[in-house]
Amino acid sequence: MKLKTLSFIAGAFALGLTAIPFAVEAQTASSSPLLVAQATEKGPWQKLNLTDAQKSKLQAIRQSTRAQIDQILTPEQKAQMEKLKAEYQGQRGQGQRPQQRGEGGKKGFAALNLSEAQKAQIKKIMESSKQQTEAVFTPEQLQQMKQFRENARGRRQQGNL
């Protein structure tokens, strides 16, 4: 059970690390809603045909989730997380493919040395964020997201063979 919870939190953390560069890119470019919306239209997001209202809601959920998690972390953990983000962005900026989510996320997650209480709080925040996010999508978009996840899972499994 602990391994399952740890895996969930590591995955959530890795997902957070991958979403942060898009938000940072959008925030540094401008506070224009159009540019923020365009930042969410990369990869499978583009195929969802999100409305401007959906994009702004998703952006607000991501920002809220990051802020809530940030409140849980100690100053040392925040510094470590910033270091990991910088490394990730550096890899992307140099045209390198960043480490696999699972591998890099678990290493980064372990480096934070989260307490059991922190892990439980983060898990609760991530579950709430997931529910809020799913509420923004239409049933068709939810189905597309499910299909994207299954396809990604299949590609990862093929890569591990």
Side-chain angles (χ1 to χ4, degrees):
M1 185 64 181
K2 282 186 179 182
L3 181 61
K4 192 174 187 179
T5 301
L6 186 60
S7 296
F8 175 78
I9 294 173
F13 178 73
L15 180 61
L17 283 178
T18 59
I20 290 169
F22 299 124
V24 169
E25 178 183 317
Q27 289 173 354
T28 57
S30 170
S31 60
S32 165
L34 180 62
L35 291 176
V36 172
Q38 288 173 347
T40 62
E41 288 190 7
K42 296 182 180 179
W45 292 100
Q46 190 174 23
K47 296 176 185 174
L48 290 177
N49 297 321
L50 298 173
T51 66
D52 289 340
Q54 286 176 309
K55 291 172 190 175
S56 62
K57 286 179 185 176
L58 291 171
Q59 182 71 14
I61 292 168
R62 281 192 296 271
Q63 289 174 343
S64 172
T65 301
R66 277 193 298 277
Q68 289 175 37
I69 290 173
D70 198 44
Q71 290 176 349
I72 294 170
L73 301 177
T74 66
E76 295 81 16
Q77 290 168 330
K78 290 177 189 177
Q80 180 64 26
M81 194 159 146
E82 290 299 320
K83 180 181 170 189
L84 293 170
K85 282 191 269 185
E87 288 174 8
Y88 181 82
Q89 289 172 345
Q91 288 175 339
R92 290 187 61 149
Q94 295 174 357
Q96 297 174 356
R97 184 174 180 200
Q99 293 177 327
Q100 293 292 329
R101 276 191 203 174
E103 180 184 325
K106 287 179 186 173
K107 286 180 183 176
F109 175 75
L112 293 180
N113 295 319
L114 296 173
S115 69
E116 290 301 319
Q118 287 175 311
K119 290 176 189 177
Q121 288 176 308
I122 291 172
K123 180 179 178 183
K124 188 175 179 179
I125 291 167
M126 294 307 294
E127 287 173 353
S128 172
S129 175
K130 181 180 176 186
Q131 290 172 352
Q132 291 173 14
T133 299
E134 288 177 352
V136 172
F137 295 125
T138 65
E140 294 82 16
Q141 290 169 329
L142 283 171
Q143 182 61 36
Q144 285 180 304
M145 286 298 294
K146 182 179 177 185
Q147 189 175 1
F148 295 149
R149 286 186 197 120
E150 288 172 3
N151 291 343
R153 199 173 293 130
R155 285 192 303 271
R156 280 193 305 270
Q157 288 174 349
Q158 287 177 352
N160 293 336
L161 296 178

